[in-house]
Amino acid sequence: MGRVRLPKESLVTDTAVQPRSAIAHEHTWNAESAFPTVADWEAEAAALPAEIAALAAHEGHLADGPAQVAAALEAIEQAVRRVTKLFAYALMEHNVDTTNEAGVKHFGAATGLYGQLLGTIGFLDPELLAIGRETLDGWVQSEPKLAVLGQYLDNLFRRQKHVRSAEVEQLLGMLADPFSGPRSTANFLTSTDLVFKPATSGAGDAIAMNQAAWDHLRTNPDREARRTGWESYMDAHLAYKNTLASNLGTSIKQNVFNARARGYESTLAGSLFESNVPVAVFHNLVDTFRKNVPTWHRYWAIRRKALGVEKLHPYDIWAPLSTNRPVVPYKQSVEWISAGLAPLGKEYTDTLRRGCLEERWVDIYPNLGKTEGAFSAGVPGTHPFILTSYTDDLLGLSVLAHELGHSLHSYLTWQNQPFLYSDYSLFVAEVASNFNQAMVRGYLLQHNTERDFQIALLEEAMTNFHRYFFIMPTLARFELETHQRVERGQGLTATDLNALMADLFSEGYGEAVHVDRDRVGITWATFGHLYADYYVYQYATGISGAHALAGRILGGVPGAAEDYLKFLRAGSSLYPLEALKLAGVDLTTPEPVEAAFRVLAGMVERMEGLFA
Ligand SMILES: [Zn+2]
């Protein structure tokens, strides 16, 4: 059933200081459009436990006939709609000001109700599977209320061949909690227990270091501050390299165990099976990345030249190139984003403008206690809200364009799909968001030709590409190699992991970047993403699909914009790769990844011209 779109990224922005109470009402998310008053929310929260409990009456009765299945699905949908709406509200309320105690309380209550709901409706899929495909297909034909179920059942039965006996399933289910240990251990160690040596500014002042401090320090123009900050950050992880390696190794062994227990031929196949993505998509990404790595070498070389340093170091990768950054107020951002997306038609841009300027979809500015980063969240029945901490610059614009990509994707899906298919996977989500960034960048590069503006724009674009199209594919290669070693029965020591990571980065950095093999080698330990099996590659395929699709539209392929809108309207009514084929891109071929590299090469070329 449909789920709330949960925050799927955290794009770090500057921390702000003003209290929540200082933010103008018109700049806050439209809470009252979801629940007129907090008392209404609380009344709904009080009513829901009985509503959820009533669902249990359907348990054990689905096999009675198509009418019983239809009645159960309808009751479940109503409950899911109400609980997810309650949850979406609490998610926003809590994250716009984490110091607000009512928000903490509501978020806790909503999370509890959500868990209760999932527990209560757990009978649905096993009972449908027990009825059998043939009988259900007949019921779908005879009962009009079940006609919508086609894709849902296909996906359910597709996965059945990897479902074990009830007894084995129960045992595997019991492992979920103890198997979550490595991830939380890594999280506690790196976020709480690690002690960082202070960094030092060029003037000799000490700078306090922690996880978040490095994210800010790396864009500091002071090279000494960046160098000492980077060394402190990496050295803190190196000090626990054996613990962290053993911990990651355990997580990989658990993945191998799970894949084998369910009869997958590899961890990769098992992980991608979940979204019905063939392993060729992963291999295409990695192979095409390797083939195009000289484009990255060109970028390091031009960055070295622009910064005027003899050798580029990893801590120079985020160093600012622009000195005169354009100021971009929120309303200007909305204008430029609309202009960039004009090829999608007036309906798309009118909706976007209404959401940003009239209906208050966006909680715009930073305030004390607001969660850093940005996300899009909402459910059918609410606006597709956005939380961001807008800064008056091109980064603020880019983040807003990205989140609006998610929100318009949600909006169009909700308008066109039944509730059952109102959600979509990360695999397609990151196409819609990156698509908006690609279109808006393309527009601005063409229309704002002033040198400082171009440099600032390219700098923002390259920071984005670096994370999602350099770091993420490199981590994906690391994941593949480490999993394959465990699958072959080899061990993984800290020395092995660091050597592998250093080799992969050396290939990506080429001649222009100095590789301190210990400090670069420990990079794997700084990404908690690696505890979510084969997750990061989807960011790189997302950016690839996005640029391939933007390229079709900007290149004037007939019908390209309409194809893309069909994709946005599809939600989860199609498998991810099928939905993307509808838009005109086939990720089982190398072409979309090549297309993204062509865009990247074009940006590097512009930079070579600007810094000639
Ligand atoms: Zn996103």
Side-chain angles (χ1 to χ4, degrees):
M1 299 298 280
R3 283 179 291 118
V4 181
R5 262 192 57 69
L6 293 171
K8 280 174 176 150
E9 58 236 308
S10 193
L11 307 163
V12 172
T13 55
D14 289 325
T15 342
V17 282
Q18 54 186 340
R20 181 74 184 165
S21 58
I23 306 284
H25 181 70
E26 60 179 297
H27 298 148
T28 62
W29 71 291
N30 195 341
E32 59 275 21
S33 68
F35 289 96
T37 67
V38 172
D40 292 311
W41 187 94
E42 284 170 348
E44 178 71 344
L48 279 170
E51 171 94 10
I52 294 170
L55 295 175
H58 297 276
E59 186 169 357
H61 293 291
L62 298 195
D64 296 354
Q68 282 76 6
V69 173
L73 285 175
E74 183 158 352
I76 289 172
E77 175 177 326
Q78 288 316 314
V80 173
R81 278 181 184 271
R82 289 174 67 181
V83 171
T84 53
K85 186 176 173 188
L86 195 84
F87 185 85
Y89 181 100
L91 181 77
M92 286 298 292
E93 186 193 30
H94 173 52
N95 283 289
V96 296
D97 182 4
T98 54
T99 65
N100 168 17
E101 282 177 25
V104 174
K105 211 178 85 191
H106 292 158
F107 188 62
T111 306
L113 283 169
Y114 207 168
Q116 212 177 314
L117 173 73
L118 293 180
T120 310
I121 64 176
F123 66 87
L124 177 66
D125 288 352
E127 285 196 32
L128 290 174
L129 286 168
I131 294 167
R133 182 80 199 249
E134 215 172 304
T135 306
L136 279 170
D137 282 347
W139 291 2
V140 167
Q141 297 293 320
S142 66
E143 170 57 67
K145 284 184 184 161
L146 297 183
V148 71
L149 275 185
Q151 170 69 9
Y152 187 85
L153 292 178
D154 194 72
N155 197 29
L156 187 63
F157 283 93
R158 177 182 75 82
R159 291 146 80 177
Q160 197 186 19
K161 62 173 181 269
H162 294 287
V163 175
R164 301 285 305 271
S165 70
E167 203 180 4
V168 172
E169 281 299 321
Q170 193 188 10
L171 203 62
L172 291 174
M174 285 163 67
L175 280 173
D177 182 41
F179 271 23
S180 67
R183 184 182 209 162
S184 68
T185 300
N187 192 31
F188 276 123
L189 181 55
T190 58
S191 303
T192 312
D193 292 345
L194 275 199
V195 178
F196 299 87
K197 228 174 78 181
T200 317
S201 75
D205 299 322
I207 305 167
M209 271 290 293
N210 58 31
Q211 283 284 345
W214 167 238
D215 284 336
H216 293 283
L217 204 53
R218 64 191 183 181
T219 57
N220 196 312
D222 179 344
R223 195 179 196 208
E224 185 61 8
R226 292 198 309 272
R227 180 182 73 79
T228 53
W230 183 72
E231 289 180 1
S232 157
Y233 185 67
M234 292 307 183
D235 288 351
H237 290 86
L238 273 173
Y240 290 92
K241 65 179 180 181
N242 297 308
T243 307
L244 284 161
S246 161
N247 195 53
L248 183 63
T250 302
S251 171
I252 295 171
K253 283 179 192 168
Q254 292 171 343
N255 294 336
V256 173
F257 169 86
N258 278 328
R260 287 183 179 160
R262 295 197 176 281
Y264 293 108
E265 64 186 59
S266 66
T267 46
L268 180 66
S271 180
L272 272 58
F273 181 83
E274 192 54 34
S275 315
N276 203 18
V277 172
V279 294
V281 171
F282 185 94
H283 293 304
N284 265 324
L285 171 73
V286 163
D287 295 345
T288 313
F289 173 79
R290 291 193 72 180
K291 206 180 106 195
N292 284 283
V293 94
T295 304
W296 280 109
H297 297 170
R298 278 171 65 194
Y299 173 62
W300 314 130
I302 191 68
R303 180 163 258 285
R304 184 190 63 74
K305 191 173 167 193
L307 287 173
V309 294
E310 203 172 306
K311 191 97 183 168
L312 200 72
H313 284 257
Y315 48 80
D316 294 323
I317 285 171
W318 302 270
L321 298 179
S322 50
T323 42
N324 184 17
R325 293 191 182 197
V327 174
V328 188
Y330 176 74
K331 282 187 179 163
Q332 177 68 71
S333 266
V334 176
E335 294 305 325
W336 281 342
I337 293 168
S338 303
L341 291 160
L344 291 186
K346 195 168 167 343
E347 197 195 326
Y348 185 99
T349 53
D350 280 354
T351 306
L352 184 152
R353 297 173 64 85
R354 205 173 65 238
C356 290
L357 303 172
E358 292 165 35
E359 292 180 341
R360 290 167 46 226
W361 291 5
V362 189
D363 200 84
I364 306 170
Y365 295 108
N367 58 253
L368 267 180
K370 191 171 187 174
T371 296
E372 282 203 358
F375 61 76
S376 161
V379 291
T382 72
H383 292 308
F385 294 117
I386 290 171
L387 177 146
T388 189
S389 290
Y390 189 81
T391 44
D392 288 351
D393 54 20
L394 287 171
L395 176 64
L397 173 145
S398 188
V399 171
L400 182 64
H402 180 103
E403 300 307 333
L404 281 167
H406 288 313
S407 285
L408 268 292
H409 189 188
S410 297
Y411 178 88
L412 289 169
T413 291
W414 301 343
Q415 294 267 311
N416 292 282
Q417 291 299 326
F419 188 75
L420 189 61
Y421 305 125
S422 61
D423 191 24
Y424 43 77
S425 65
L426 180 83
F427 194 89
V428 293
E430 289 304 319
V431 174
S433 53
N434 281 289
F435 171 88
N436 278 23
Q437 287 172 295
M439 293 292 284
V440 175
R441 275 187 207 123
Y443 171 83
L444 292 175
L445 276 174
Q446 212 187 337
H447 289 86
N448 297 54
T449 50
E450 198 219 336
R451 186 173 188 267
D452 283 345
F453 192 96
Q454 293 262 319
I455 292 174
L457 192 65
L458 289 165
E459 195 171 7
E460 187 283 320
M462 292 307 296
T463 301
N464 197 271
F465 265 98
H466 170 253
R467 182 168 174 86
Y468 296 113
F469 214 49
F470 180 76
I471 297 287
M472 295 301 168
T474 302
L475 291 176
R477 294 180 66 192
F478 177 84
E479 265 189 306
L480 181 65
E481 177 62 30
T482 49
H483 279 73
Q484 287 180 340
R485 285 188 195 177
V486 173
E487 283 166 354
R488 288 195 299 262
Q490 287 173 244
L492 292 173
T493 64
T495 309
D496 298 334
L497 294 181
N498 288 11
L500 171 63
M501 188 94 274
D503 286 345
L504 294 173
F505 270 106
S506 296
E507 188 182 327
Y509 283 151
E511 293 298 309
V513 185
H514 174 78
V515 178
D516 171 341
R517 284 187 63 86
D518 281 341
R519 291 191 176 110
V520 167
I522 194 71
T523 302
W524 58 268
T526 68
F527 281 92
H529 299 74
L530 293 178
Y531 290 89
D533 209 12
Y534 296 109
Y535 186 83
V536 297
Y537 88 97
Q538 300 176 86
Y539 287 112
T541 51
I543 214 169
S544 301
H547 281 88
L549 292 168
R552 267 169 63 89
I553 293 170
L554 297 173
V557 174
E562 190 42 46
D563 291 345
Y564 181 70
L565 289 167
K566 280 184 205 150
F567 157 73
L568 292 184
R569 293 182 194 120
S572 56
S573 69
L574 296 171
Y575 292 119
L577 286 187
E578 283 179 21
L580 284 164
K581 276 183 191 158
L582 202 62
V585 61
D586 183 358
L587 275 163
T588 62
T589 73
E591 176 47 31
V593 189
E594 293 282 8
F597 264 109
R598 284 196 294 274
V599 172
L600 182 70
M603 290 187 180
V604 172
E605 208 168 292
R606 276 177 187 266
M607 290 184 81
E608 285 167 345
L610 287 164
F611 291 102

